[in-house]
Amino acid sequence: MHVVVNAAMSADGKLSSRRREQIAISGDADFDRVDRLRADSDAVVVGVGTVLADDPHLTVKDENLRDERRTNGKPANPARVVVDSSARTPSSAEVLDDAATTYVCVSDAAPVEQRAALAEHADLITAGEERVDLLRAFAALQEQGIERVMVEGGGELIFSLFEAGLVDDLSVFVGPKVIGGRDAPTLADGDGFVENFPELELGEVERLDGGVLLTWRVAD
């Protein structure tokens, strides 16, 4: 499986404000790039925090890209995956509609009633006792034929994926904004590393939408 983390952050490294409100950091050119990344993926992955904050649909926006997927024998949209240890995803969430197959990854600790409610709208993957075991969850996704994964956030999930050694590439658009705030989410939150820091190799640098797009490979 190949895992690409994609994010847009401010010049000071924030994904959104301290209120966890979605902020337009990039522009049309980056939106088109992200849409292409989605179209080229087998699945798009987010954490439950992103679902609760933004209620994303996680579908391909460009009809031409959807047609291209159909021509290649694929569904119009990639599968959608929510990492949700406690099964907090609302049944009304956009990501649970019928636009694409949705998987929700939960832990054994998730309440049975909430798991049952989610199972009416999505395929559940149970992995881990208190928190989702990402290695097991991604292995289960791979068994479903998912080989190329795009991760769209948030910071807690991104850190956990780096911690699990699952990230292959990191694409970051750095926009011309300063957001600030000690409590504003950053690219990789979680507990943070104190040793064995993941090493990155810079691939490409591109000026885009008044900012810069950085593409990194995770060193072996």
Side-chain angles (χ1 to χ4, degrees):
M1 180 182 285
H2 191 88
V3 178
V4 178
V5 170
N6 181 77
M9 68 182 188
S10 62
D12 58 326
K14 305 296 185 180
L15 299 183
S16 67
S17 74
R18 59 184 171 84
R19 295 178 178 175
R20 307 274 166 162
E21 297 169 337
Q22 192 173 32
I23 294 173
I25 294 174
S26 59
D28 290 343
D30 192 55
F31 292 156
D32 290 344
R33 178 190 67 84
V34 171
D35 210 31
R36 165 56 72 179
L37 273 178
R38 285 182 182 170
D40 289 343
S41 301
D42 298 319
V44 180
V45 182
V46 295
V48 66
T50 297
V51 172
L52 295 174
D54 302 334
D55 195 19
H57 201 203
L58 302 181
T59 54
V60 176
K61 309 306 180 190
D62 190 322
E63 180 63 31
N64 292 327
L65 292 177
R66 294 197 297 271
D67 286 343
E68 184 180 305
R69 285 180 57 87
R70 294 187 189 101
T71 299
N72 292 328
K74 300 178 179 180
N77 293 295
R80 300 167 296 189
V81 180
V82 181
V83 177
D84 182 3
S85 296
S86 302
R88 293 186 293 148
T89 301
S91 58
S92 60
E94 289 280 349
V95 76
L96 296 180
D97 70 7
D98 60 2
T101 299
T102 300
Y103 299 91
V104 179
C105 304
V106 300
S107 72
D108 291 328
V112 174
E113 298 84 359
Q114 289 171 224
R115 278 192 266 176
L118 281 176
E120 295 181 7
H121 306 280
D123 295 329
L124 293 192
I125 294 174
T126 304
E129 296 181 2
E130 298 293 328
R131 298 181 60 188
V132 171
D133 182 324
L134 291 170
L135 288 171
R136 286 173 53 193
F138 275 47
L141 291 170
Q142 195 166 20
E143 290 176 1
Q144 299 300 315
I146 293 173
E147 293 292 343
R148 184 169 181 84
V149 170
M150 175 188 180
V151 179
E152 293 200 28
E156 295 280 343
L157 175 60
I158 291 172
F159 170 77
S160 296
L161 289 167
F162 272 108
E163 186 178 39
L166 286 168
V167 181
D168 296 292
D169 295 310
L170 173 64
S171 293
V172 182
F173 174 81
V174 183
K177 281 185 172 68
V178 172
I179 295 174
R182 66 179 62 86
D183 297 323
T186 64
L187 179 69
D189 287 332
D191 294 331
F193 295 102
V194 294
E195 59 183 1
N196 300 321
F197 305 100
E199 297 287 341
L200 305 178
E201 298 172 351
L202 184 61
E204 299 179 1
V205 178
E206 178 184 356
R207 295 177 69 96
L208 194 68
D209 285 338
V212 61
L213 174 64
L214 304 174
T215 303
W216 307 82
R217 290 181 294 271
V218 178
D220 295 332

